[in-house]
Amino acid sequence: MAVVTDPQPPARTDPPASPDGGRRRIVAMTVWAVAFVAAWLAIGLPTDPAYAFVWIWAATIAWNSERPWRSHLRFARDWVPVVLLFVVYNLSRGFADNGATPHAMELIVADRFMFGWATGGEVPTVWLQQHLYHPQVHWWDVAASWVYFSHFVVALAAAAVLWIRDRHRWAAYMRRWGFLCAAGLVTYFVYPAAPPWWAAQNGLLTEVARISTRGWKAFGMHGAGNVLNAGQIASNPVAAMPSLHTAWALFVVLFFLTATRRRWWPLLLAYPLAMTFTLVYSGEHYVIDVLVGWAYVGMTFLVVGLAERGWAAWRTRHPSAKSDQAKEPPPTPTNQPEPPTPREPDPATPTSVPADH
């Protein structure tokens, strides 16, 4: 009689989870959080790519403290070229204007043309500050400062999570992010543009305050920044077109949007909108800068996606020599005797026939 049983799952080959792994993770993340807050109060928030990477790398080590060190060193190996590219990107932005007078008036005209009917002929930045900006700090100033700071952390943190969970998607993320930054940097050199606060300082607009970091005064902080970019050495005050602040925010949201349930889409899409309000209200960008930045995000996904599909098709038509060699059988060693040649059966020799035939 046959006995039907349920199929047994395959035996686990990975090492069993440590019974104190959860406690160890909690302790490690607590130590990381305390160290981050201490550095935040002593130095400032990490608005430099290299400084932010150090904290993100430390967070991944604390989260996966049970992993061997070679895994953590592999993270640094993959990320060092990326961080170096962003450091070069930040430094090169400072030379984008090359001493020339930046574009400003056409941006003012564009914003007045789009929104002047609702703002009494003013650009949205001037209108928002006339209605919301006061000498005392309000809750929306605090919220705007935190949204502004998230630009320096969210994209890097999302990439770190991708590296841990799916390195293939991490590579796709980095290709698109790198292309977006390169496109923005080229535009800074070709078309250096000034933000609203610069236009106000040079008499092209009525008074505009640069208030992107004033919300931290409610916490008694000295503001954003750190010793690595003190004095805004690496920044460029006329790199406003396109707005990579809103471009990065929209890029991160769109990259994860298809893998997120639809009921969370409004919450995700609220982030680039909040970044847009923050930058326009704080005098950092015009609305036209934001719209061009969003257009660059669409161009990034289109161009990189087409390039990836083209590369995959080319590799299908032209397989690499390495893969061809892997498919070929290994050659016979020369020092081994050749196998004997099979002999033809002798017709005179009777062939044995099985007894049942």
Side-chain angles (χ1 to χ4, degrees):
M1 179 182 297
V3 179
V4 179
T5 59
D6 293 333
Q8 297 297 322
R12 294 176 60 91
T13 57
D14 55 334
S18 175
D20 62 342
R23 185 183 308 170
R24 180 176 180 176
R25 174 174 291 175
I26 293 175
V27 172
M29 291 303 297
T30 302
V31 172
W32 177 88
V34 171
F36 177 80
V37 172
W40 163 20
L41 298 176
I43 301 176
L45 291 168
T47 59
D48 180 87
Y51 187 37
F53 163 74
V54 170
W55 283 110
I56 291 174
W57 185 24
T60 61
I61 295 174
W63 185 261
N64 295 311
S65 57
E66 75 282 355
R67 291 189 179 182
W69 271 103
R70 62 178 178 271
S71 175
H72 303 308
L73 294 177
R74 194 180 303 119
F75 182 93
R77 179 200 65 189
D78 290 346
W79 276 78
V80 164
V82 176
V83 174
L84 291 178
L85 285 176
F86 279 113
V87 170
V88 173
Y89 160 78
N90 276 349
L91 293 175
S92 59
R93 286 192 311 159
F95 303 97
D97 59 337
N98 198 22
T101 302
H103 298 269
M105 200 62 211
E106 54 265 46
L107 307 181
I108 297 174
V109 171
D111 268 30
R112 284 175 174 168
F113 174 78
M114 290 187 294
F115 301 100
W117 59 271
T119 60
E122 295 286 357
V123 298
T125 296
V126 173
W127 186 86
L128 286 173
Q129 291 199 2
Q130 287 175 350
H131 289 77
L132 297 177
Y133 175 59
H134 304 284
Q136 65 273 19
V137 177
H138 292 276
W139 66 266
W140 54 83
D141 297 310
V142 177
S145 294
W146 281 110
V147 172
Y148 182 79
F149 164 70
S150 69
H151 163 77
F152 304 98
V153 176
V154 168
L156 280 173
V161 173
L162 277 178
W163 188 93
I164 294 174
R165 298 178 62 88
D166 189 343
R167 195 172 180 277
H168 178 74
R169 290 196 70 198
W170 173 81
Y173 181 97
M174 282 302 177
R175 285 191 293 269
R176 287 159 177 77
W177 196 15
F179 182 89
L180 177 62
C181 294
L185 182 61
V186 171
T187 308
Y188 294 154
F189 279 92
V190 175
Y191 189 84
W197 63 263
W198 186 96
Q201 288 182 357
N202 288 271
L204 301 178
L205 285 175
T206 56
E207 184 177 357
V208 173
R210 191 179 187 183
I211 53 176
S212 55
T213 61
R214 76 188 298 255
W216 284 301
K217 293 180 180 179
F219 297 93
M221 294 178 55
H222 55 78
N226 51 66
V227 295
L228 298 179
N229 63 0
Q232 296 184 335
I233 298 176
S235 65
N236 183 3
V238 296
M241 171 69 76
S243 170
L244 285 188
H245 281 73
T246 48
W248 283 19
L250 183 63
F251 164 76
V252 173
V253 169
L254 291 183
F255 189 87
F256 293 98
L257 197 65
T258 56
T260 308
R261 294 183 178 180
R262 289 182 178 270
R263 66 169 177 263
W264 298 109
W265 284 16
L267 182 62
L268 291 177
L269 293 173
Y271 175 55
L273 295 178
M275 182 65 75
T276 297
F277 170 82
T278 294
L279 297 173
V280 175
Y281 165 60
S282 61
E284 298 287 349
H285 285 282
Y286 298 97
V287 177
I288 187 63
D289 302 335
V290 173
L291 298 179
V292 174
W294 289 355
Y296 273 45
V297 174
M299 177 187 67
T300 296
F301 279 96
L302 177 64
V303 172
V304 178
L306 291 175
E308 288 175 342
R309 288 192 288 271
W311 174 250
W314 185 89
R315 292 194 64 181
T316 301
R317 294 192 303 266
H318 304 85
S320 62
K322 183 177 180 180
S323 60
D324 289 344
Q325 293 176 0
K327 295 178 182 179
E328 295 178 356
T332 304
T334 56
N335 57 352
Q336 296 291 335
E338 295 184 359
T341 304
R343 297 176 60 185
E344 294 292 335
D346 189 355
T349 305
T351 305
S352 60
V353 180
D356 56 351
H357 288 72

